Every structure is written in structure tokens, then in C-alpha cells.
């Protein structure tokens, strides 16, 4: 009996981006040994633009597609709804992508094929290729890319922007996305950190690629600074979950703040924004980590800006 893969997309007030994601899924090459469905979770209880879009495309869509409305606003609520819908369908694997991404035609064949090749019990994280506007300085590209990885690399955590998760692992460990900070972001990092800490394996697959066009409203230092601050709060939560003391995390944040501050000043003096921007973002993250020790929360994703 073929495995059932449920591709899940959470969306809120971004119908144009969602359309691009669904159009890429419509021409997707399918694994020969799997059945594939699509679930869209619309997290906009007022406008319901995502639901309206799916309704307009459903009749001619080549894959079984379902849209459900999650009325509680917040990313973890929507992602936990994905888990419930995949369970209801009896899916063997839950596959997450973001609503502002589009997939390579062979993406799922690569992702699922690699998962099967290594036994079918591991989380597999694919690649995200980000495309920046021509108007953005070239050095910004480094702020939107992660450390270069190879297929087979083991990870301590990953994100939900391109990942395959065995439902067996979710059931066995009782995993859910933390709903206590619904607009802060980072709940996916915490989800997979817990999965890894409890013995789960996360493996990278370079060849399973999705693409994302970074809009100009995000390719700027103000947006990046706010995101790094929020990421620092998540980092403090990660460290607390691993058993680090509040004092130890705070001292680490202070040390990183001082080092980043010196590097930022030197970078600005010697190379202007090109050399000063990266340490500035590390400084923002260290501030977030220090604030996270004292229970600070972020509302970074409360407003859908672009």
C-alpha cells in the first residue's frame, strides 16, 4: 500500500503568494510509490482569502486539496491544525512548505525518495533557495541564507519551510507546536529541537529544493533587526529547554552582546554598512536572548506585512 503524504501550507492574508505555491504543486512530479494530498490552513478568520482561492482552484486541481479555517490567530495554532488534519486523513508523512514558496518539479520525489532511502523514520529537511530583489545590496544575500550543508548532514533542529515529518514520530512523542507565544515565531525550531532531544533524527537533503522570493519590505535592516531580536528570544527558550540555567544564558548573551558591539563599531569604521551589518544583527540577537531569559515575548508575526 503506498504511503500517504499530506503537503500542508499555512497561510494568512497572502493570496498572491499562496497562488504561486499551489501553481507549483499543480505541476509537481509525484513519487511513484506514494499518494499525495494538499491541505491549506487559512489562519485569517475575517478575510478568508486563502479559502476563497483554494475554492476557486479546487475543481481543476490535479491533487486532492482541502482548505480548513483555523480561527485562532497565530502560527502555532495553524501548524497544530495541520497535524490534526494529517492525522484525520491517516497520512504517513506530513510535509510542510511556506505559502510564499514554490517548489522544484522534482522536489517531492527528492525529499520522499531520500527519506525512504534512509529508512523512512527520520525527519528530512530540504533546501530553501532565496531570491533577493535587484535593488538590494549584494551583501544582504548572506543574511537570508543558512550555513552551507551537504546531503546526509545531521541537524539538531530545522524549520517548517521545507520538511518531511513521519507521522509515526509525532504520535509516538506526542509532539505539538508550542502555542504559548502565538505571534513570536520560532515554534518550529523549538518543535524540532524537542524532537531531536528526544532521540529523533533530522537529516538534510540538498537536492529537495524550494524557492522563495524575498520582498523588498523584508530585505532591509529594520526588518532583519526585529527578526534577529525575536530569534534571540527563541534561542533563550532552546537553551532553557536543554537544561541551561538562567544565569548561564544571561552571561552568554552579555558576552555575545559585547563581542558583537565591538565588531559592529569596527566594521562600521572600516567598511561601513557592508562590514557593520552582520555584527549588528548578532547584537540584536544577543539582546533578544537576554530579554528571553526574563520571559520577554515577541509579536513579530502579529501583523502580516508582506
Amino acid at each position: 500500500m503506498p504511503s500517504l503524504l499530506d503537503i500542508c501550507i499555512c497561510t494568512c492574508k497572502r493570496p498572491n503568494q499562496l497562488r504561486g505555491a499551489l501553481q507549483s504543486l499543480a505541476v509537481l512530479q509525484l513519487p511513484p510509490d506514494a499518494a499525495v494530498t494538499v491541505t491549506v490552513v487559512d489562519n485569517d478568520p475575517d478575510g478568508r482569502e486563502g479559502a476563497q482561492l483554494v475554492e476557486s482552484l479546487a475543481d481543476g486541481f490535479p491533487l486532492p486539496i482541502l482548505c480548513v479555517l483555523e480561527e485562532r490567530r497565530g502560527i502555532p495554532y495553524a501548524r497544530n491544525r495541520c497535524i490534526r488534519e494529517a492525522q484525520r486523513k491517516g497520512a504517513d508523512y506530513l510535509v510542510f512548505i511556506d505559502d510564499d514558496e514554490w517548489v522544484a518539479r522534482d522536489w517531492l520525489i527528492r525529499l520522499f525518495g531520500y527519506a525512504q532511502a534512509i529508512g523512512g523514520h527520520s525527519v528530512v529537511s530540504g533546501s530553501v533557495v532565496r531570491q533577493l530583489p535587484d535593488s538590494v545590496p549584494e551583501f544582504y544575500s548572506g543574511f537570508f541564507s543558512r550555513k552551507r550543508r551537504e546531503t546526509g548532514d545531521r541537524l539538531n533542529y530545522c524549520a517548517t519551510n521545507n520538511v518531511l515529518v513521519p507521522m509515526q514520530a509525532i504520535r509516538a512523542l506526542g509532539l505539538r507546536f508550542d502555542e504559548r507565544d502565538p505571534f513570536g515565531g520560532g515554534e518550529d525550531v523549538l518543535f524540532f529541537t524537542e524532537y531531536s532531544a528526544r532521540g529523533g533524527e533530522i537529516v538534510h537533503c540538498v537536492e529537495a529544493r524550494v524557492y522563495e522570493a524575498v520582498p523588498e519590505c523584508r530585505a532591509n535592516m529594520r526588518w532583519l533587526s526585529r527578526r534577529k531580536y525575536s530569534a534571540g528570544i527563541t534561542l533563550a527558550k532552546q537553551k532553557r529547554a536543554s537544561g541551561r540555567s538562567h544565569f548561564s544564558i544571561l552571561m552568554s548573551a552579555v558576552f555575545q552582546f559585547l563581542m558583537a558591539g565591538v565588531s559592529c563599531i569596527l566594521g562600521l569604521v572600516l567598511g561601513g554598512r557592508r562590514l557593520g551589518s552582520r555584527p549588528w544583527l548578532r547584537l540584536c540577537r544577543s539582546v533578544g536572548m537576554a530579554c528571553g531569559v526574563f520571559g520577554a515575548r515577541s509579536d513579530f508575526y502579529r501583523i502580516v506585512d508582506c
Side-chain angles (χ1 to χ4, degrees), residues 231-244:
I233 293 177
T234 299
L235 184 57
K237 293 178 181 177
Q238 276 185 287
K239 292 179 180 296
R240 289 205 306 271
S242 69
R244 290 274 297 274

Side-chain angles (χ1 to χ4, degrees), residues 6 14 31 33 40 43 51 55 57 94 106 108 119 131 144 151 165 185 225 244 269 287:
D6 191 27
R14 301 204 294 186
D33 51 347
V40 175
N43 197 213
E55 184 178 351
L57 298 176
L94 175 58
D106 64 350
L108 194 59
Q131 301 175 352
F144 290 92
T151 295
V165 187
S225 299
R244 290 274 297 274
V269 170
V287 171

Side-chain angles (χ1 to χ4, degrees), residues 62-121:
L63 297 171
I65 185 169
L66 168 72
C67 184
V68 295
L69 183 69
E70 176 52 57
E71 296 193 357
R72 297 175 299 168
R73 280 275 286 115
I75 300 173
Y77 296 130
R79 288 176 175 155
N80 282 332
R81 183 64 180 272
C82 290
I83 292 176
R84 294 198 300 272
E85 292 300 325
Q87 288 176 327
R88 187 184 61 79
K89 289 182 179 183
D92 298 291
Y93 296 91
L94 175 58
V95 185
F96 281 107
I97 63 170
D98 288 346
D99 64 350
D100 59 351
E101 297 174 334
W102 65 96
V103 304
R105 288 199 67 196
D106 64 350
W107 159 72
L108 194 59
I109 288 177
R110 298 282 191 174
L111 190 69
F112 180 63
Y114 186 69
Q116 295 299 102
I118 60 174
H121 303 296

Side-chain angles (χ1 to χ4, degrees), residues 45 53 98 104 138 154 156 166 179 194 230 233 243 251 256 258 269 274 276 282 286:
L53 174 63
D98 288 346
E138 186 176 345
R154 265 56 178 177
N156 293 323
E179 298 178 349
E194 180 184 358
S230 182
I233 293 177
M251 289 300 98
Q256 291 180 37
L258 294 174
V269 170
R274 185 177 65 84
R282 290 201 300 269
S286 64

